[in-house]
Amino acid sequence: MASSIKSSNRKGKTDEVIQQEDIIQAVVIADSFNKRFAPLTVCKPKVLLPLVNRPLLDYTLEFLSINGIQETFIFCCSHAQQIKDYISKSSWSNPDSHMSVTTIVSESFLSMGDVLRELDSKALIRSDFILLSGDTVSQIPVRDILLKHKKQQQKDKGMVMTLVFKKALPKHKTRCLEDECVVAVEPETERILHYQKVGHKKKIEFPLTVFQENNKVTLRYDLLDTHISICSPHVPPLFSDNFDYQTRDDFIRGVLINEEIMGNTVNLHLIDDGYAAQVSNLTMYDAISQDVIKRWSYPVVPDLLSLPGGRYSYLRHNIYKQKDVVLERHCILNENVVIGRGSKVGSRSSIINSVIGHDCEIGSNVHIDGCYMWNNVKVEDGCILQSCLLANNVVVKKGVTIHAGSVLSYNVVVGPDITVKCSTLLQAEPPSVDMDEFGDNETLEPSDSIVVDPNLVGAEGKGFLFHSSCESDDENDEFPKDIWGQTCQSGSEGDETSVPDSVEELSDGDSPPPDDLRLFYSEVLDSLLRGIEEKVKWENLVLEVNSSKYAYNVTMKEVNTLVMKAILEIPKQGSQKPLQPQMYLVALKPLLSQLLPLIKNYMKSKESQLDCLSALEEFGIVNEELGVIIMKVLHFLYEKDVLSEPVILEWYSNPPVLGDVDPAEQDLLRKR
Amino acid sequence: MEFQAVVMAAGRGSRMTELTTGCPKCLLPVGNVPMIWYPLNLLKRNGFQEAIVIVPEMAKNEVSEARIDTKVDMKLDIVTIPSSEDWGTAESIRYIKDKIKVDVLIISCDLITDFELHQLADVYRTHSASLAMLLAPVSLSLVNAPAPGQKGKHKRVRDIVGIESHTGRLMFVNSEADFEENVPLRKFILTRHPVVQVHSDLMDAHLYLMSKWLVDYLVENENITTIKGELLPSVVKKQFYHSKTEGKNDITNMKASVTSVDPKKDIHSHKKTGEWYDLLSELSTRSNQWGSLDDCYHGDQVRCYGYIMKDGLCVRANTLGSYAEVNRLIPKIWDSVTGNSERPISASLSRSKSQGGDDSMIGEGTNIADKVTIKKSIIGNHCQLKEKVKLLNCVIMDHVTVEEGSTLQSCILCSNAFVGKGSELKDCIVGQQQRVMDLSKLSNDVILEIEKFIEI
């Protein structure tokens, strides 16, 4: 590694641009300002959580140091002291380290925006700098991107930020669902014209002006947000000027909106090869751990990193072992397994796709798939663990099954012989003690009142359910969340591809008239259903139907037919199976009396009565089993003076095109 | 026969009515040959032996008189559409449906290009597409070419074309007027086609390859009137939606049950794939996208592709400005757009003391008197140019007389026009059989027989 540092230094000297600026600075934000890793982050800062047995912050700092960054500022907020201590003890604060690391602490930071405002007020920044979060795993040549940023800035003075994205197709495992975004880029200058988070949207809208003002625009949905950005010295003042900028997204949005006024622009840099990702939540923790084990992030792989406890030896099938690992007879390390120093695996246990920390003890007949165990974890015999995270000192007693997505925080004990459900978050401290990092305190209840629930953690267990509810109010629900252990890519795509139900999807290309009618019909049906439910006055219903009529541009004739049809349809709505005629009639009767004024309103003239009759007839034909009803309805309407006799007779003598007049004939005979 | 060629020559030339009052658009001369000769020549060059040509009824005689078929040596089936109808392109295709037996190539009569058709056909065949269209970069000199006789600038309505760059699959093709403030795109489409290139600088060359079944679809959907404006955007959009009743072609559409209209098939029931095709796609392990193991084309049956011309020439003489500009260009581009065809006979200038360069073309039987200067102009057959006439940037059709000492700049003179002595015309259009008095000084004028103009 030393050689790689040297080489990048040499490169720096040959490079004129860099020389002028002397040193390159980086700003690391060591707080994610969210609680996605709770309860693990309750007593430890997120950046110090281990990923493949190494604190996250080390990945970030080493990434910067390999790239020849000379000065790094770490901004910390929660658990700042721990980070400070960690840095002061680590090799980063060695006097001969070529990168100086300064920690800046303020408990008052609530967002990335605050950090950058602080940066501005302290005037620490001399030139373009790299902004990233303290949980970045990467090996990209960020220095080259910085140079490119400088070059582009010479061309375009207003360019203030280069966002680094990695190419990753949709559904890529390392794409974070919360960061899904679509970017419109000008292909030649790589200027970002439009940036949009996808969130739950099914339809993504791009402003037309983007395409009108640019001859060529590339829309990209193949991006993985690395959260690494190259910023100009103008960026911190921009944050100071705009107090509402909380996040980088706010900033990008602001810059794009004010582009014409301020003249600032944001560029995109796409990395094709190379690895960069941010451990933003548990799903990403899982995905990135696997990437590291499977060597996608080479040279950031366990056997090449300096890790506490000595080097790892790399065996085939991506098995990594440190010293003093004890593997008993018949235990199987399938593939993609990292085992830390002093850990022990019992006989007939199998491990796959997992990381095991230092001094862990795994009993016999244990099956571990996709789990992350930190240090001193004890798993007793016969357990089955699936995709879960066990923090330091967790004890899993014998015969426990843990389902996917569960997190057992420090010192939790579960078992014996229980099953932990999917996505269970457990912590050793009673939950009522509000561990809110930001100190917005809710009432602190006495913790004694809460007892360990043996159904949850087992007879000898120790642990409490962690409630993530307090999280949801400061997170916006606008974005889908990755839930670890669940494939949350909703399968809605399947039905989307079939011809959409509501025809509006297709209607702007061509709107054949039946579609309008259909929409109108469904609207009328809805109005009536609601009207009946809420006992809306018939005048208002008429008003509603009429306004629908204008909205869909439907002729009066069709209105008459469809209104009648809808009324007849209503009793069928409730039940799934075909109704018996008697039942149907029972349901229809009160309905007809309730809606009588409405029917009367529409069926005034002779023509409209004819329409009504043909609707009745059609209904009778379509629903054969209800054919008998038609005459009853007819009779009812006749008695209520909706339909006049001459009209019925005329209708009878000139049966409209539909042909099947059998029931109608009977009607008339009986009526006579 | 893989494709049947259909030349759409029934356009009214609504963007150049000044010229089309006396002459059907397809016969307007470009470089002294009727415009329609260029697409026919293109077809001939690319191996077509016959073509269906759709012309308006009133132009039938003129078209047959022009003896285009012998000029290009092709078998032409000239179909006329009733002049009482103002049909769109889709309606014209519907009209000739009985003649269409296989996939069709549809080309507009105003297309002048050196494009090799096989490039588009290759795209069509590779993806077994339903529709393939040619897109060409808009040449700005043509779009912004000053149109004689017009004041102010035409606002060009651009097309917004979204295309997946590495495959050429069309994502959307719409006129900018189709959108309000936003251009919507479904997320699942983006998921399947994550990189979409959106162009607003492309021109639809009106050269399409279309499946036979799409013609059947067109026949059944009578509310579609134009290919470009209606059929294309809707088919492109429907690509991504699969039929609910896949595999059961005869199931009628659900829509039909609401109103008692005739059951209408939706677009997917028209696409007939055939047993072999299904078997092939079932047994094939080929996947043509990155990052997923979905079927080829994600199971999309309807597929539309675009081919963007990278270099070469592609112009459409469909507006006054572009018509004039194409004429100016034609002496230079003749060889490339016609595949080195013989140039129309040029009267030699050498015997007169007039000046004229390679940038001009002069028709047969034209008399040019002494001291005539001709620059960048096209002069038709049997014209009389009297002494000291100066022509710059002009298009002069047949049997035109320009009297002594007149100076014409950037003008279009229709056939049998007459310009009197000592006139000075700039940016003017002189209609068929119109006379310009002696010593007239006009600029930006259109001289036409008024009633006729209004009638059109």
Side-chain angles (χ1 to χ4, degrees):
Chain A
M1 194 182 313
S3 69
S4 69
I5 294 165
K6 235 180 247 166
S7 72
S8 61
N9 266 351
R10 208 176 302 130
K11 202 167 127 205
K13 271 170 206 156
T14 52
D15 214 303
E16 285 173 40
V17 192
I18 292 292
Q19 252 179 2
Q20 288 168 3
E21 309 287 353
D22 281 324
I23 55 168
I24 313 174
Q25 294 170 308
V27 173
V28 175
I29 298 171
D31 200 322
S32 53
F33 306 109
N34 61 42
K35 291 188 219 160
R36 301 229 164 79
F37 276 86
L40 297 171
T41 47
V42 165
C43 54
K44 210 172 182 189
K46 178 184 161 193
V47 291
L48 295 184
L49 301 183
L51 179 109
V52 193
N53 295 338
R54 185 189 198 217
L56 281 169
L57 190 59
D58 276 359
Y59 286 94
T60 310
L61 292 178
E62 185 161 309
F63 160 61
L64 293 173
S65 125
I66 284 178
N67 275 288
I69 310 302
Q70 286 102 328
E71 195 171 10
T72 299
F73 302 103
I74 302 179
F75 282 79
C76 4
C77 173
S78 56
H79 310 294
Q81 197 53 44
Q82 284 187 44
I83 299 174
K84 243 178 143 169
D85 293 347
Y86 179 80
I87 293 295
S88 64
K89 279 184 211 147
S90 71
S91 61
W92 302 115
S93 41
N94 281 354
D96 55 345
S97 164
H98 72 284
M99 178 169 83
S100 78
V101 178
T102 317
T103 44
I104 295 163
V105 177
S106 168
E107 299 280 335
S108 65
F109 297 147
L110 291 175
S111 68
M112 190 186 111
D114 294 337
V115 170
L116 285 171
R117 282 184 274 274
E118 174 81 3
L119 197 62
D120 185 37
S121 67
K122 287 216 161 120
L124 293 167
I125 292 304
R126 273 160 286 183
S127 153
D128 297 317
F129 64 100
I130 297 157
L131 175 69
L132 74 173
S133 115
D135 47 12
T136 306
V137 177
S138 177
Q139 34 83 309
I140 54 166
V142 75
R143 211 184 151 89
D144 298 348
I145 306 171
L146 189 90
L147 293 177
K148 189 178 142 199
H149 172 87
K150 281 180 195 284
K151 257 183 215 143
Q152 264 165 350
Q153 209 174 25
Q154 282 164 357
K155 275 185 240 158
D156 176 6
K157 292 273 184 260
M159 205 270 279
V160 289
M161 196 188 258
T162 301
L163 306 177
V164 181
F165 285 97
K166 179 175 157 45
K167 225 186 214 172
L169 289 163
K171 296 184 180 163
H172 189 289
K173 218 159 53 69
T174 323
R175 267 169 76 138
C176 179
L177 212 56
E178 289 153 48
D179 288 335
E180 294 273 280
C181 60
V182 183
V183 180
V185 198
E186 219 276 304
E188 263 141 56
T189 58
E190 294 192 300
R191 189 159 67 88
I192 293 181
L193 305 167
H194 183 72
Y195 174 92
Q196 194 176 125
K197 285 265 173 127
V198 173
H200 286 299
K201 288 179 212 134
K202 284 198 168 165
K203 195 191 236 173
I204 296 150
E205 304 217 310
F206 301 92
L208 181 60
T209 46
V210 166
F211 305 123
Q212 285 171 327
E213 285 160 13
N214 301 280
N215 283 338
K216 260 185 223 159
V217 178
T218 313
L219 307 179
R220 305 202 79 111
Y221 186 52
D222 60 341
L223 302 175
L224 183 154
D225 194 346
T226 65
H227 291 268
I228 301 171
S229 31
I230 317 294
C231 303
S232 301
H234 308 296
V235 171
L238 276 171
F239 270 92
S240 297
D241 293 346
N242 297 279
F243 270 94
D244 53 334
Y245 289 176
Q246 294 300 319
T247 62
R248 195 179 71 168
D249 289 344
D250 292 340
F251 176 79
I252 298 166
R253 205 175 305 130
V255 165
L256 292 179
I257 289 170
N258 298 326
E259 195 190 318
E260 273 161 38
I261 310 160
M262 309 286 291
N264 290 332
T265 55
V266 179
N267 269 18
L268 167 137
H269 178 83
L270 202 61
I271 42 177
D272 232 339
D273 43 3
Y275 189 85
Q278 190 206 12
V279 185
S280 49
N281 56 28
L282 282 170
T283 313
M284 296 302 288
Y285 180 89
D286 180 26
I288 294 169
S289 299
Q290 295 296 335
D291 286 342
V292 171
I293 300 171
K294 291 173 188 164
R295 305 178 86 76
W296 289 106
S297 56
Y298 189 89
V300 183
V301 288
D303 51 320
L304 296 180
L305 296 174
S306 58
L307 290 160
R311 298 236 151 191
Y312 280 87
S313 54
Y314 171 51
L315 310 171
R316 69 178 179 161
H317 302 312
N318 295 334
I319 310 269
Y320 305 85
K321 277 195 299 186
Q322 245 171 349
K323 277 188 295 186
D324 306 327
V325 171
V326 180
L327 300 174
E328 278 182 27
R329 200 181 277 256
H330 302 307
C331 88
I332 303 162
L333 302 185
N334 246 323
E335 52 174 355
N336 308 323
V337 179
V338 179
I339 300 189
R341 193 197 57 229
S343 289
K344 229 178 98 180
V345 183
S347 62
R348 290 194 192 79
S349 291
S350 72
I351 305 178
I352 183 167
N353 300 333
S354 298
V355 176
I356 291 162
H358 304 152
D359 304 310
C360 292
E361 239 178 83
I362 292 160
S364 45
N365 285 318
V366 175
H367 296 278
I368 298 175
D369 182 358
C371 294
Y372 302 94
M373 294 183 197
W374 297 355
N375 303 332
N376 298 315
V377 174
K378 214 172 157 186
V379 180
E380 292 184 359
D381 298 353
C383 293
I384 298 169
L385 312 182
Q386 277 174 345
S387 306
C388 57
L389 198 156
L390 311 180
N392 293 348
N393 308 322
V394 164
V395 179
V396 181
K397 305 248 175 193
K398 70 177 170 49
V400 172
T401 303
I402 302 182
H403 285 301
S406 297
V407 174
L408 275 56
S409 189
Y410 310 95
N411 309 319
V412 166
V413 181
V414 290
D417 302 314
I418 59 144
T419 301
V420 177
K421 284 195 210 109
C422 276
S423 308
T424 315
L425 307 179
L426 292 176
Q427 60 180 7
E429 297 79 20
S432 56
V433 180
D434 188 47
M435 290 299 179
D436 197 327
E437 299 153 62
F438 310 137
D440 52 344
N441 290 312
E442 287 152 37
T443 49
L444 302 179
E445 285 171 36
S447 55
D448 319 332
S449 61
I450 294 172
V451 236
V452 174
D453 178 5
N455 291 332
L456 184 70
V457 294
E460 297 163 31
K462 185 185 134 208
F464 302 90
L465 205 58
F466 174 79
H467 295 287
S468 53
S469 57
C470 55
E471 190 182 353
S472 57
D473 42 43
D474 57 339
E475 298 300 325
N476 36 5
D477 293 331
E478 203 184 319
F479 300 111
K481 280 190 195 142
D482 278 319
I483 300 168
W484 190 35
Q486 290 176 12
T487 42
C488 36
Q489 299 279 1
S490 58
S492 62
E493 204 190 297
D495 24 83
E496 257 191 277
T497 49
S498 62
V499 178
D501 274 338
S502 61
V503 195
E504 59 188 324
E505 319 283 354
L506 296 173
S507 65
D508 33 351
D510 57 334
S511 48
D515 296 349
D516 272 352
L517 274 185
R518 219 167 83 98
L519 284 176
F520 171 76
Y521 174 69
S522 61
E523 200 136 309
V524 168
L525 198 59
D526 284 349
S527 301
L528 291 178
L529 272 174
R530 204 172 38 76
I532 290 155
E533 239 164 64
E534 297 168 15
K535 305 244 180 305
V536 178
K537 272 196 184 154
W538 71 269
E539 289 96 335
N540 295 345
L541 276 179
V542 168
L543 212 62
E544 230 165 279
V545 171
N546 283 350
S547 64
S548 306
K549 166 183 184 287
Y550 291 116
Y552 296 104
N553 195 16
V554 183
T555 64
M556 206 57 215
K557 187 180 161 70
E558 284 156 345
V559 172
N560 294 332
T561 326
L562 290 175
V563 164
M564 202 57 218
K565 239 182 110 147
I567 294 173
L568 293 172
E569 197 69 31
I570 289 170
K572 282 173 70 190
Q573 289 286 317
S575 70
Q576 299 300 322
K577 54 181 194 290
L579 277 171
Q580 291 303 310
Q582 288 81 6
M583 303 267 288
Y584 176 79
L585 199 63
V586 169
L588 188 65
K589 266 269 168 65
L591 198 76
L592 277 178
S593 3
Q594 190 187 343
L595 290 175
L596 199 65
L598 180 125
I599 300 173
K600 272 190 177 160
N601 177 66
Y602 282 106
M603 314 306 168
K604 276 177 196 149
S605 70
K606 193 174 137 189
E607 285 80 28
S608 59
Q609 289 178 23
L610 274 175
D611 294 338
C612 167
L613 280 169
S614 65
L616 274 175
E617 186 178 27
E618 200 187 318
F619 182 80
I621 292 162
V622 175
N623 306 285
E624 274 178 34
E625 72 282 1
L626 298 178
V628 234
I629 301 302
I630 298 307
M631 74 182 191
K632 295 247 159 96
V633 177
L634 198 63
H635 200 83
F636 177 84
L637 291 176
Y638 174 70
E639 276 177 0
K640 296 287 177 195
D641 287 337
V642 177
L643 301 173
S644 64
E645 197 174 334
V647 173
I648 297 179
L649 285 175
E650 186 186 328
W651 167 70
Y652 173 60
S653 53
N654 317 310
V657 273
L658 289 158
D660 177 21
V661 218
D662 260 6
E665 211 169 310
Q666 286 175 2
D667 290 355
L668 286 157
L669 288 174
R670 304 219 177 158
K671 195 170 300 295
R672 282 297 173 78
Chain B
M1 191 163 57
E2 190 184 2
F3 295 108
Q4 273 179 298
V6 179
V7 183
M8 306 298 262
R12 313 254 147 166
S14 53
R15 275 170 286 196
M16 41 206 283
T17 43
E18 295 87 340
L19 303 181
T20 50
T21 45
C23 177
K25 177 182 166 190
C26 58
L27 293 183
L28 282 176
V30 172
N32 282 343
V33 286
M35 191 187 280
I36 193 173
W37 181 83
Y38 293 89
L40 287 172
N41 177 269
L42 175 73
L43 293 173
K44 175 76 187 169
R45 260 186 295 158
N46 285 280
F48 281 88
Q49 295 299 328
E50 45 192 82
I52 302 170
V53 182
I54 302 179
V55 296
E57 192 174 35
M58 58 182 191
K60 187 174 185 189
N61 290 339
E62 286 157 291
V63 172
S64 24
E65 271 167 32
R67 304 213 52 80
I68 296 287
D69 48 348
T70 53
K71 275 187 199 162
V72 290
D73 188 23
M74 283 170 82
K75 192 172 156 237
L76 297 185
D77 180 0
I78 295 175
V79 180
T80 57
I81 60 168
S83 46
S84 54
E85 307 283 347
D86 187 16
W87 276 350
T89 41
E91 286 163 306
S92 304
I93 293 289
R94 204 175 294 135
Y95 184 67
I96 59 159
K97 61 175 191 279
D98 295 335
K99 292 179 189 280
I100 294 174
K101 307 280 184 257
V102 293
D103 295 352
V104 283
L105 178 143
I106 296 171
I107 189 168
S108 164
C109 70
D110 53 20
L111 180 68
I112 298 173
T113 179
D114 59 355
F115 181 69
E116 300 292 337
L117 293 179
H118 73 82
Q119 298 179 63
L120 187 65
D122 284 348
V123 172
Y124 183 86
R125 292 165 184 154
T126 309
H127 301 287
S128 97
S130 313
L131 188 145
M133 70 189 289
L134 177 66
L135 294 158
V138 171
S139 111
L140 283 176
S141 72
L142 276 178
V143 174
N144 299 330
Q150 276 178 342
K151 287 154 196 126
K153 259 192 181 174
H154 254 304
K155 195 177 176 289
R156 186 170 69 98
V157 178
R158 287 172 296 185
D159 288 326
I160 310 255
V161 180
I163 191 166
E164 190 180 36
S165 39
H166 65 283
T167 60
R169 183 89 180 261
L170 292 170
M171 298 292 121
F172 54 90
V173 181
N174 285 91
S175 157
E176 62 183 340
D178 289 350
F179 300 109
E180 281 169 12
E181 271 175 19
N182 288 318
V183 178
L185 206 55
R186 311 288 303 180
K187 185 170 141 198
F188 77 88
I189 298 176
L190 265 181
T191 311
R192 292 167 180 186
H193 308 279
V195 185
V196 179
Q197 197 84 243
V198 183
H199 295 266
S200 55
D201 60 342
L202 292 181
M203 161 184 94
D204 177 4
H206 283 237
L207 173 60
Y208 308 105
L209 292 175
M210 218 191 255
S211 284
K212 167 79 171 71
W213 69 265
L214 212 53
V215 176
D216 298 338
Y217 173 72
L218 206 58
V219 169
E220 212 150 285
N221 289 271
E222 291 187 353
N223 50 340
I224 298 177
T225 56
T226 62
I227 294 176
K228 170 73 200 311
E230 293 168 34
L231 179 70
L232 188 63
S234 92
V235 172
V236 167
K237 198 163 187 177
K238 283 176 181 161
Q239 296 180 85
F240 307 104
Y241 299 98
H242 297 174
S243 173
K244 272 180 183 163
T245 56
E246 216 162 341
K248 296 177 216 162
N249 286 348
D250 300 326
I251 293 233
T252 53
N253 203 322
M254 303 296 283
K255 294 167 197 164
S257 68
V258 174
T259 53
S260 47
V261 292
D262 284 340
K264 201 180 77 173
K265 291 181 192 167
D266 75 354
I267 189 163
H268 301 282
S269 57
H270 278 273
K271 166 89 183 181
K272 291 185 186 65
T273 50
E275 224 176 302
W276 285 109
Y277 182 90
D278 293 340
L279 192 64
L280 199 67
S281 51
E282 194 186 318
L283 295 179
S284 168
T285 51
R286 177 171 164 250
S287 174
N288 59 344
Q289 57 262 331
W290 312 322
S292 87
L293 290 172
D294 280 7
D295 286 356
C296 276
Y297 312 109
H298 305 277
D300 294 346
Q301 299 277 315
V302 182
R303 297 187 286 271
C304 302
Y305 286 85
Y307 181 89
I308 301 176
M309 261 178 93
K310 276 149 204 109
D311 39 24
L313 262 159
C314 182
V315 291
R316 291 191 61 203
N318 59 347
T319 63
L320 260 185
S322 61
Y323 174 75
E325 185 65 23
V326 168
N327 267 299
R328 258 162 239 153
L329 283 174
I330 213 76
K332 268 182 264 167
I333 62 174
W334 175 270
D335 289 336
S336 61
V337 296
T338 62
N340 291 319
S341 291
E342 214 177 301
R343 289 188 185 228
I345 302 148
S346 242
S348 75
L349 283 166
S350 54
R351 59 194 157 83
S352 64
K353 288 173 192 166
S354 306
Q355 297 179 328
D358 286 345
D359 50 8
S360 301
M361 288 175 107
I362 294 161
E364 202 179 352
T366 289
N367 274 326
I368 296 170
D370 288 351
K371 293 178 186 164
V372 170
T373 315
I374 301 168
K375 276 184 191 160
K376 295 184 185 169
S377 297
I378 307 291
I379 294 154
N381 301 330
H382 309 291
C383 293
Q384 304 290 327
L385 302 183
K386 297 292 170 58
E387 282 171 12
K388 292 180 188 164
V389 165
K390 281 186 185 161
L391 299 177
L392 174 62
N393 267 338
C394 289
V395 180
I396 292 174
M397 298 184 195
D398 298 347
H399 303 287
V400 172
T401 309
V402 182
E403 287 290 338
E404 258 174 64
S406 293
T407 306
L408 278 67
Q409 197 189 332
S410 306
C411 293
I412 300 176
L413 274 60
C414 295
S415 49
N416 296 315
F418 176 89
V419 177
K421 276 180 198 165
S423 300
E424 279 179 37
L425 303 183
K426 191 166 179 265
D427 298 321
C428 288
I429 295 174
V430 181
Q432 217 177 14
Q433 295 176 336
Q434 298 302 306
R435 296 180 73 85
V436 176
M437 293 299 136
D438 293 358
L439 300 169
S440 311
K441 283 197 165 60
L442 299 169
S443 85
N444 255 326
D445 243 328
V446 180
I447 295 133
L448 278 180
E449 214 176 308
I450 300 302
E451 300 96 68
K452 219 172 180 179
F453 188 45
I454 286 166
E455 182 192 286
I456 296 289

